[in-house]
Amino acid sequence: MLILYIETNIIMAVAKGRDLEAEKLLRDPLPSMRMAIPAICYIEAINTYRKDKEYQLKFQAEMDKQINESIRDQTSIHAKSFSRHLQKASIENTLLLNNIQNRFSEIINLLIENAENINFNGSIIKAISEQIFLEKETLLIKNDLMDNLILQCILNHANQHPNQRKVFISGNTNDFGKQNVQQILNIAGIEYFGNTKNFLGWLESQSS
């Protein structure tokens, strides 16, 4: 049995249609695979989605403002054309927001049904607190408490399953792809992949 660890980046990539391989994998998990996700990733994903939606709504409001300004222009030969294009863009933006929301909701529900939740415990909180309290912080991922919590949750879970194959997929290579982080993952017996396509290629090579 293979344990597949996923985190916030994968959720958002699927919701935004950026990782078709991950979407297929989440919708139709392999029989020999069990998925696990730090529970805190749900909160981070919801917060990320909320911020993205706020930005898109601000963009929508600005387009509506420009549409009204263009309609009021009785002189420019370009105003009507500009207004029509903006109105079409406004409609498409609304439809896009709805698509992302539907995909986001669906992926969250799929993970709740099919993935094991990894909850961070007192030992994880204590370990991170001690690292922060040191004169020189020793956090593996600098300046990102959330990613450190996610990493420690995965490592803690991996250490409880020493005899199983383990894989971690995250497009957040700036943090999880760093050499020191990958070394810690390897010590815990976890293979790291920056995208789902490379993971699937590796998995196929393992069975050949």
Side-chain angles (χ1 to χ4, degrees):
M1 180 66 70
L2 172 70
I3 300 176
L4 174 63
Y5 297 111
I6 57 179
E7 53 85 49
T8 312
N9 184 272
I10 293 295
I11 297 175
M12 298 310 301
V14 172
K16 294 186 175 182
R18 296 174 179 172
D19 194 335
L20 299 180
E21 290 89 354
E23 181 176 1
K24 182 178 179 181
L25 192 62
L26 295 183
R27 292 185 186 278
D28 188 21
L30 301 173
S32 60
M33 182 185 76
R34 56 185 278 207
M35 294 184 292
I37 178 172
I40 197 170
C41 290
Y42 289 112
I43 304 302
E44 187 179 38
I46 291 168
N47 192 47
T48 300
Y49 167 76
R50 181 179 60 83
K51 289 180 179 179
D52 287 352
K53 184 176 181 179
E54 287 177 356
Y55 174 80
Q56 288 296 104
L57 290 176
K58 287 180 180 178
F59 178 64
Q60 183 83 34
E62 183 60 32
M63 281 197 294
D64 291 342
K65 179 181 176 182
Q66 294 300 322
I67 289 170
N68 290 332
E69 288 294 321
S70 299
I71 291 174
R72 293 172 61 189
D73 190 331
Q74 302 296 315
T75 304
S76 174
I77 60 173
H78 303 290
K80 288 184 179 181
S81 176
F82 183 57
S83 176
R84 285 195 301 270
H85 285 297
L86 278 181
Q87 287 173 1
K88 183 178 180 180
S90 178
I91 293 171
E92 293 295 335
N93 186 58
T94 299
L95 294 174
L96 176 59
L97 281 171
N98 290 338
N99 283 342
I100 293 174
Q101 178 174 305
N102 291 337
R103 286 197 299 262
F104 181 81
S105 178
E106 188 174 2
I107 292 305
I108 291 292
N109 288 333
L110 282 172
L111 286 172
I112 290 173
E113 292 175 6
N114 300 322
E116 175 187 353
N117 282 342
I118 306 174
N119 296 308
F120 58 87
N121 53 36
S123 63
I124 292 175
I125 298 172
K126 182 179 180 181
I128 289 183
S129 297
E130 290 175 348
Q131 293 170 36
I132 290 176
F133 294 154
L134 293 174
E135 184 175 346
K136 185 177 181 181
E137 289 187 8
T138 58
L139 292 174
L140 285 169
I141 301 174
K142 304 299 182 185
N143 304 318
D144 198 321
L145 183 59
M146 189 69 73
D147 281 347
N148 277 282
L149 280 171
I150 291 170
L151 179 61
Q152 291 301 327
C153 284
I154 291 173
L155 292 172
N156 185 65
H157 186 274
N159 289 332
Q160 296 173 25
H161 302 83
N163 298 321
Q164 290 188 263
R165 290 196 304 168
K166 297 171 284 286
V167 167
F168 175 35
I169 302 177
S170 172
N172 182 7
T173 55
N174 288 334
D175 290 329
F176 297 116
K178 290 180 178 177
Q179 185 175 1
N180 65 322
V181 175
Q182 289 200 41
Q183 288 175 346
I184 295 297
L185 290 170
N186 289 335
I187 291 172
I190 304 172
E191 293 276 353
Y192 171 77
F193 294 94
N195 59 67
T196 311
K197 184 177 181 179
N198 286 347
F199 159 64
L200 292 174
W202 171 84
L203 189 62
E204 185 178 353
S205 69
Q206 297 297 300
S207 59
S208 60

